[in-house]
Amino acid sequence: MKETGTIISSHGLQLHGLRNIASAAWNLGPAALYQEAIRRGEGELAKDGPLVVKTGQHTGRSAGDKFTVRDALTENALWWDNNKPMSPAHFDALEEAFIAYAQGRDLFVQDLYGGADLTHRVKVRVITEYAWHSLFIRNLLIRPETSALANFLPEFTIIDFPGFVADPKRHGTVSPTVIGVNFTKKLILIGGTSYAGEMKKSVFTILNFLLPEKRVMPMHCSANVGKDGKSAIFFGLSGTGKTTLSADASRTLIGDDEHGWSEAGVFNFEGGCYAKMIRLSPEAEPEIYATTKRFGTVLENVVMDPLTRVLDLDDATLAENSRGAYPIDFIPNASDTGRAGHPSNVIMLTADAFGVLPPIAKLSPAQAMYHFLSGFTAKVAGTEKGLGKEPQPTFSTCFGAPFMPRHPSVYGNLLKDLIAEHKVNCWLVNTGWTGGAYGQGTRMPIKATRALLNAALDGSLARAEMRVDPWFGFQVPVSVPGVEPRILNPRETWGDKGAYDAQAGKLVSMFVKNFEKFETHVTPEVRAAAPGVSKAAE
C-alpha cells in the first residue's frame, strides 16, 4: 500500500482490518484535497475559490437508513423507540463487506477531534472514498496540532464509502444505503450516500451517547458569547436559523450546530460550520455569504454557471438544502478556543408553519423543559430525504431526536439541572410564519428576530412589560424598541381572528398529544407547563 500525506499515524489502517488498499492519503490539507477532488472528477472550482460538488440523489440525511447495534452495551442504555436496531451479526457482515469493498481503492484518512473541551473531546478517525468528503470532515471537525498526529490512536472510527451498496437481506438494512453505528466496536459505517452531513452527525451521535454519563449535556445548538463574557445557546433543527442568528458581528461565535455544556461551561463539538446556502443574502448574512468566496469552502449542490463559474445561490434546481462547509475561522469573529463560560440565555428556535407562536416568549424553567422535550418546528424541504416542497410540522425531542441515542428525559433532566444551577433566562423564538399559516402568511422578518434577540441577550427584554399568552401560558413582551408592536401578538397579524383561534387550538392539541409519551418521565410542574384550550378560555 502506498501511503502519502502530511503526517501518517503509527496506528495505521491495519488497526481497522483494511488490507490490499491501493493507496492511503493521510491528513491532506485543502490544496492537496482540491487537486485530488478535481483530478478525480468529484468537483469543480468556482470563480472565487470554493470547491463545488454534487451529492446526487441524497441531498439530505437518510434518517430511515440509520441503525444502531443492539447488544449488551446498548440494550438498556438506548432509547429504542427512536433508534432502529441492527443485530451484531448483521453489522459484522456489513463490516466484512466494507473491508472487501476497500481493496484496491485509493482512500483518504483524517485524524480529528470531536469536542473543543480538552477533558471531554473524543479522537475520531474518518476514512473516506472521496477526496472532497475528506476535506468536508477536515473543515467540520477539530484539527489536532501536527505533533499529535504521528501517534494518533482513534477512539472511534468512521468509514465512509458512498459507492458501497448494502444488501438488505445480508446486512439487515431497508435499502442500499446504510449508516451503521456500533458503540461496542466504536465503529460507524456509512455507505450508499454522497451526502457528507452523515459523517458530522455520526460524531454528534457518538458524543450524545458518551457525554451524559459524565454529567455533560450534549446539545444540537449554536452558541456565541458577548463582550461581557456572557454566552448564549440556540437550540433548533435545520432551517430554524441556528447558523444565521448565531453569526452576529457584535458577538464571538463559538459554533453553529453542536455543543456540550460541562462543569466548565459551553464548548463546541466542531471546528467548522455547515450552513444552508439557498437564497443566502449578503445583507442579512454577510459573514456566511463571504465564505462562498473563499478557497477551502466546500459547496454542496450549489448551482454554478459552467462557463463563468459564477454561483447562483438562489437556484434550487439541485437541492433546496444546498450547503456550505467551511472552517470556523472563516467567520471573522469566531472563537479561537471553541469554549466559553456558562450561558446566561438559552434560546429555543422553532419555525412554526401554523403562524400561531409569537416571535419571542419568555419561558419558566418548567416551560423550558416542556418545550425542549417537545422540540416543535417545521421540517423544511431538502433537510432530509423524502420531504416535499411544503414545510411539515414535526416534534423532534431535544431539537435533535435523530441524533439522540438515549431517552430524551436523560437530556431534559440534565438541561433542567444546569438551567437551575446557573439561573439562566430561557426564550422560545419563532422564526417561522406570521400573519397566517404557511401559504397565506409571510416568513418572520429576520430584522425583527435579530432585534428581539439583541434585547434578550443584553438583558433588557427580561425587564420588559409582558402579557401571558392565553394558549401557551408563557410570557410575551408587549413592546420592544425597533419592533412593530402588532407582530408581537400573532393573533393581531391575522385578518381572520377566528381562523387564528382554530389554528391555535389545532397546534395546542398536537403539543398535548405529542407530550403523552413523556408524562411519566417529568415532574408535575413540567406537566402543568403544557398549553391548553382551557388557558385560552380563561
Side-chain angles (χ1 to χ4, degrees):
M1 176 176 60
K2 179 184 177 183
E3 294 190 284
T4 60
T6 310
I7 299 289
I8 302 171
S9 173
S10 58
H11 304 283
L13 294 186
Q14 69 277 4
L15 189 69
H16 315 289
L18 294 170
R19 54 187 181 272
N20 300 325
I21 309 302
S23 69
W26 289 78
N27 299 305
L28 296 184
L33 290 170
Y34 261 56
Q35 182 174 323
E36 284 300 308
I38 292 170
R39 181 182 68 81
R40 293 153 59 99
E42 297 174 5
E44 298 179 293
L45 186 65
K47 174 179 176 292
D48 295 309
L51 181 68
V52 180
V53 300
K54 298 175 183 177
T55 64
Q57 64 169 326
H58 295 88
T59 59
R61 292 183 300 102
S62 297
D65 293 308
K66 182 177 179 180
F67 299 85
T68 305
V69 173
R70 190 168 193 162
D71 58 15
L73 176 64
T74 59
E75 177 64 45
N76 297 317
L78 261 66
W79 179 33
W80 291 111
D81 290 348
N82 185 63
N83 292 271
K84 285 187 173 182
M86 174 180 276
S87 71
H90 277 139
F91 187 90
D92 290 347
L94 184 68
E95 182 183 3
E96 182 182 333
F98 264 68
I99 290 171
Y101 178 87
Q103 295 190 40
R105 298 185 185 275
D106 300 312
L107 301 180
F108 300 86
V109 186
Q110 294 285 344
D111 286 335
L112 302 159
Y113 295 130
D117 186 289
L118 303 186
T119 302
H120 301 298
R121 70 188 181 190
V122 62
K123 294 179 178 179
V124 182
R125 173 167 292 168
V126 185
I127 302 165
T128 64
E129 178 181 9
Y130 290 171
W132 81 261
H133 274 206
S134 193
L135 177 58
F136 172 95
I137 203 63
R138 179 183 174 85
N139 282 351
L140 264 293
L141 293 186
I142 296 171
R143 296 161 292 283
E145 296 290 333
T146 303
S147 59
L149 293 174
N151 293 305
F152 191 96
L153 179 62
E155 296 168 78
F156 274 81
T157 302
I158 298 170
I159 302 179
D160 170 73
F161 293 162
F164 178 85
V165 178
D167 180 346
K169 289 184 178 179
R170 184 183 172 200
H171 305 130
T173 64
V174 294
S175 81
T177 300
V178 63
I179 302 96
V181 181
N182 191 321
F183 287 115
T184 298
K185 287 191 169 185
K186 299 184 176 182
L187 176 64
I188 297 178
L189 303 174
I190 302 171
T193 172
S194 297
Y195 181 67
E198 298 287 9
M199 292 184 290
K200 100 178 205 82
K201 288 304 183 188
S202 293
V203 176
F204 189 33
T205 299
I206 291 168
L207 290 166
N208 282 335
F209 179 72
L210 297 178
L211 293 183
E213 290 190 339
K214 300 180 178 183
R215 301 297 296 167
V216 176
M217 175 67 186
M219 304 175 292
H220 188 206
C221 69
S222 57
N224 62 26
V225 60
K227 294 177 182 177
D228 56 4
K230 295 179 179 179
S231 64
I233 55 180
F234 301 75
F235 286 105
L237 294 171
S238 297
T240 56
K242 289 196 316 301
T243 299
T244 297
L245 295 172
S246 57
D248 184 333
S250 67
R251 295 173 65 85
T252 298
L253 179 69
I254 304 168
D256 83 323
D257 195 42
E258 300 164 4
H259 293 80
W261 187 353
S262 73
E263 67 282 357
V266 175
F267 64 96
N268 195 357
F269 285 173
E270 302 180 303
C273 301
Y274 192 36
K276 290 197 75 172
M277 293 287 124
I278 193 67
R279 292 177 286 278
L280 194 67
S281 163
E283 293 76 32
E285 301 105 351
E287 294 86 3
I288 302 172
Y289 184 84
T291 68
T292 67
K293 300 179 180 297
R294 291 285 300 267
F295 181 88
T297 294
V298 178
L299 296 177
E300 294 178 340
N301 303 315
V302 171
V303 173
M304 179 179 70
D305 186 290
L307 297 178
T308 65
R309 303 294 179 96
V310 172
L311 305 174
D312 185 353
L313 299 178
D314 295 326
D315 191 334
T317 302
L318 294 176
E320 181 71 23
N321 191 38
S322 58
R323 293 269 178 167
Y326 48 88
I328 196 168
D329 59 19
F330 279 17
I331 300 296
N333 59 323
S335 167
D336 292 333
T337 65
R339 301 187 292 272
H342 297 287
S344 299
N345 290 277
V346 167
I347 294 101
M348 299 181 189
L349 301 169
T350 179
D352 173 24
F354 286 93
V356 167
L357 295 175
I360 196 165
K362 191 172 189 302
L363 305 177
S364 69
Q367 289 169 338
M369 185 171 179
Y370 183 92
H371 284 277
F372 178 71
L373 289 177
S374 297
F376 169 71
T377 191
K379 288 182 181 177
V380 294
T383 53
E384 42 180 80
K385 185 180 176 183
L387 289 180
K389 293 182 179 180
E390 295 188 3
Q392 296 180 11
T394 188
F395 291 86
S396 184
T397 187
C398 307
F399 294 97
F403 325 114
M404 299 295 171
R406 300 180 185 275
H407 192 275
S409 61
V410 172
Y411 308 104
N413 284 318
L414 259 177
L415 182 66
K416 180 187 68 173
D417 292 346
L418 288 165
I419 287 171
E421 181 180 346
H422 300 287
K423 298 178 174 60
V424 181
N425 285 319
C426 299
W427 308 90
L428 183 69
V429 173
N430 175 22
T431 61
W433 279 258
T434 182
Y438 174 83
Q440 287 82 44
T442 58
R443 197 74 191 254
M444 194 71 69
I446 192 169
K447 184 177 179 181
T449 301
R450 284 198 182 278
L452 291 167
L453 277 175
N454 288 339
L457 297 179
D458 69 20
S460 62
L461 194 59
R463 300 187 296 270
E465 180 187 355
M466 300 276 183
R467 68 177 178 87
V468 176
D469 184 271
W471 292 94
F472 285 83
F474 42 46
Q475 293 183 303
V476 181
V478 174
S479 64
V480 177
V483 179
E484 182 187 354
R486 197 171 70 103
I487 206 173
L488 294 170
N489 188 343
R491 192 173 189 270
E492 294 304 311
T493 66
W494 284 55
D496 185 341
K497 304 298 189 287
Y500 172 86
D501 292 339
Q503 281 284 78
K506 181 179 179 181
L507 183 57
V508 164
S509 297
M510 290 178 66
F511 265 91
V512 172
K513 179 66 175 174
N514 172 74
F515 205 79
E516 288 175 357
K517 58 181 174 287
F518 300 127
E519 288 184 347
T520 59
H521 298 278
V522 300
T523 64
E525 185 184 18
V526 174
R527 290 196 292 272
V533 176
S534 60
K535 291 179 182 176
E538 291 168 10

